[in-house]
Amino acid sequence: MDDAPDALTPPDATGGRVGMVTRHSGATLAAPGARGYPVVPRDKERLDALYEYGILDTPEDPAFNDLARIAATLCSAPLAMVNLVDHERQFMKAAYGFARRDVPRELSFCAHAIVDPSRVLAIPDLAADARFDSHPIVADAPHLRFYAAAPIVTDDGFAIGTVCVMDVAPRPDLTADDAEALRAVARQAMALIELRRDRAMVRKANLRLEETNARLEDVSRRKTEIISDVSHEFRTPLTTILGYAELIRDEDLDPGETREFADDIVRDVQRLTRMMENVLDLERLEARATAFRPVSVELPSLLEDEVARWEVDEAAADHAVSLSVKIGLPCVLADADRVAQVVRNFLANAVKYSPDGGAIDVRAEPTADGRFVRVSVTDHGIGISTEGQARIFERFARTQEAIARGIRGTGLGLAICRQIVELHGGTIGVESLAGCGSTFWFTLPAAPPALGGAP
Ligand code: ADP
């Protein structure tokens, strides 16, 4: 159809417009408004109704082409269209006998036909009608003469468009049969428009359903992964506990040995308990089921408290923990307990993964743009290879360096830290060189100036 001759396109978009408006006779039709097309009562609501169908600018559709052809055949006309009348244009949904093309509303015959939704409009001879005689496709090729249109009317009575037929020869007025046939086709056009809208709605609903399903599948997969990870991680300490318990039950141990094995059991049970708590904490964080209470937090005192803990901790006897804070450091908007949890984890790791001791430096400074504060913990421990760094913040991720040295851990702490930092709108990362040490860092948004943040 798009290859058909472009017979109805006016030679120039404004040609004939002045003539059409100024020479209006106003005999049987509504008068043109200031814009050059007839005023339609409640046009704004009519347009809202039209837009609700989402039919404008939709591609060519064979079912609408069929309606145009049927209208042409029923009325024995060489040309027929299914049109929707938009605010400033006529959108041609289907055309029979020529190519589909938008037409400015002031050049649209159908803009007249939609004024009265109850009437079929017929113009026996366009050239003899003062409103249309200078219209470019009447005055010039293809010299149209006859036009008839039945409005496409919504349930609420708005004429959103028309089914129309045209001829190059004038005709006496439309027969009652032709008028009724045209009206029937317009009704079918309306039914088809509704069908297309309903189909689009069903498609959209299906899409939403698919998205929801994908999300649910994701949650369910995550849960399965957690269960499988957890059962795997729990097996080792449970096997150890069982082994020690069987020894105590079956062997004739002296009290010293019994106490030693019981200590091992206690240690593993404590580890399992910690792991259980961490798994639950991580699950709650991942499911966004944990409420944060972000307030303006002064990091220097929080960091001082965390560093002070290690000064009296035996595990850090070989480590010198120092703190440096940039002067004028803005406050951060955060949940202080959760921030302390992250810092504690970084410090515990720095101590644990520096078995030979060494300095541990804690730093806090604003980022270059002043919108965030960056906290880092640097150690001179075993470090992490580049491959190890890629997975380090994933649940149960442990590095070869740590496993090879027999340093125990659950691989949950950093995953929890990442969740906490990201839920605050910050970022987390690591810079490390295997064998040389690591710097773990995170950023948190600075509080607004009124709350002690950056000016
Ligand atoms: P855990 O220490 O209990 O295993 P984490 O999630 O805190 O759990 O750490 C995950 C892994 O990251 C550790 O097992 C270790 O392999 C590595 N890691 C963490 N911190 C450091 C560090 N400071 N230096 C070297 N490796 C580290």
Side-chain angles (χ1 to χ4, degrees):
M1 188 55 69
D2 278 343
D3 295 334
D6 198 8
L8 289 190
T9 302
D12 94 67
T14 55
R17 172 170 153 189
V18 174
M20 202 172 101
V21 174
T22 51
R23 294 164 65 189
H24 167 257
S25 71
T28 53
L29 293 170
R35 290 175 186 277
Y37 51 78
V39 176
V40 176
R42 298 166 66 203
D43 201 39
K44 161 100 184 37
E45 285 154 274
R46 185 193 71 81
L47 286 167
D48 286 346
L50 167 64
Y51 298 151
E52 199 247 314
Y53 289 103
I55 184 87
L56 290 175
D57 296 315
T58 48
E60 187 168 342
D61 180 334
F64 282 93
N65 289 349
D66 286 349
L67 288 182
R69 173 187 281 270
I70 290 167
T73 309
L74 287 173
C75 298
S76 312
L79 308 167
M81 296 183 275
V82 179
N83 289 318
L84 286 316
V85 183
D86 192 3
H87 181 41
E88 295 286 346
R89 64 170 173 152
Q90 166 186 297
F91 167 67
M92 231 175 258
K93 180 60 192 165
Y96 174 77
F98 55 95
R100 287 201 315 147
R101 170 77 43 126
D102 274 13
V103 174
R105 188 163 168 183
E106 61 267 32
L107 290 180
S108 156
F109 299 144
C110 298
H112 295 256
I114 60 165
V115 174
D116 185 348
S118 65
R119 275 189 53 202
V120 171
L121 169 66
I123 302 177
D125 188 353
L126 291 160
D129 189 309
R131 289 159 305 162
F132 306 114
D133 58 0
S134 56
H135 190 289
I137 55 174
V138 176
D140 302 315
H143 300 288
L144 285 186
R145 288 295 175 266
F146 174 71
Y147 169 86
I152 298 172
V153 184
T154 68
D155 278 350
D156 294 332
F158 293 113
I160 55 173
T162 70
V163 172
C164 67
V165 289
M166 292 180 291
D167 202 345
V168 289
R171 290 189 185 188
D173 223 350
L174 199 68
T175 66
D177 273 357
D178 281 355
E180 203 35 60
L182 215 48
R183 236 197 268 272
V185 181
R187 279 195 296 273
Q188 290 311 305
M190 188 67 244
L192 195 55
I193 289 168
E194 277 171 359
L195 205 69
R196 291 291 182 262
R197 178 201 53 190
D198 295 349
R199 200 169 67 176
M201 271 159 51
V202 169
R203 238 188 244 134
K204 244 189 232 153
N206 275 343
L207 219 66
R208 270 203 301 275
L209 214 63
E210 275 169 24
E211 280 168 11
T212 311
N213 276 345
R215 255 203 316 278
L216 286 177
E217 272 169 26
D218 196 48
V219 170
S220 146
R221 202 185 46 243
R222 211 159 47 80
K223 286 224 186 299
T224 312
E225 272 172 24
I226 291 176
I227 290 167
S228 129
D229 284 351
V230 167
S231 55
H232 179 259
E233 294 298 320
F234 274 42
R235 199 164 298 140
T236 316
L238 282 175
T239 310
T240 319
I241 292 168
L242 185 65
Y244 289 135
E246 280 171 350
L247 274 176
I248 293 171
R249 185 193 62 190
D250 300 337
E251 302 294 323
D252 202 7
L253 302 171
D254 63 48
E257 282 174 321
T258 307
R259 175 179 294 276
E260 197 184 310
F261 292 149
D263 278 347
D264 286 335
I265 290 175
V266 169
R267 197 196 57 219
D268 274 338
V269 169
Q270 283 170 341
R271 180 158 170 255
L272 277 176
T273 310
R274 252 194 334 272
M275 210 148 95
M276 200 65 231
E277 284 163 5
N278 281 342
V279 167
L280 290 176
D281 195 18
L282 184 61
E283 172 54 14
R284 275 195 297 266
L285 286 164
E286 285 181 351
R288 307 287 182 261
T290 296
F292 280 4
R293 282 175 301 279
V295 291
S296 183
V297 176
E298 283 185 24
L299 277 178
S301 55
L302 183 148
L303 295 173
E304 271 164 28
D305 287 352
E306 291 307 318
V307 167
R309 285 169 182 269
W310 291 99
E311 283 163 2
V312 292
D313 195 309
E314 248 179 59
D318 295 332
H319 300 82
V321 187
S322 69
L323 169 67
S324 54
V325 174
K326 255 287 188 300
I327 293 168
L329 188 76
C331 289
V332 290
L333 209 52
D335 185 313
D337 289 344
R338 287 300 195 166
V339 176
Q341 186 181 349
V342 175
V343 175
R344 208 168 302 155
N345 206 295
F346 278 13
L347 275 168
N349 282 351
V351 170
K352 187 162 70 166
Y353 296 107
S354 315
D356 301 331
I360 295 174
D361 305 311
V362 182
R363 294 175 63 87
E365 59 208 332
T367 53
D369 62 8
R371 291 173 49 231
F372 291 84
V373 171
R374 182 182 196 268
V375 176
S376 62
V377 176
T378 301
D379 64 57
H380 299 85
I382 62 173
I384 305 165
S385 66
T386 318
E387 306 86 75
Q389 289 172 40
R391 293 197 54 233
I392 200 78
F393 295 101
E394 287 172 24
R395 165 171 17 103
F396 295 116
R398 303 213 64 222
T399 63
Q400 281 315 312
E401 290 87 349
I403 295 167
R405 281 177 175 77
I407 306 176
R408 305 186 76 167
T410 60
L412 287 168
L414 289 179
I416 291 174
C417 290
R418 186 181 75 175
Q419 288 294 328
I420 292 173
V421 170
E422 290 181 353
L423 284 171
H424 276 90
T427 43
I428 195 166
V430 61
E431 285 140 25
S432 185
L433 206 59
C436 293
S438 316
T439 295
F440 279 86
W441 58 266
F442 66 87
T443 64
L444 289 174
L451 295 175

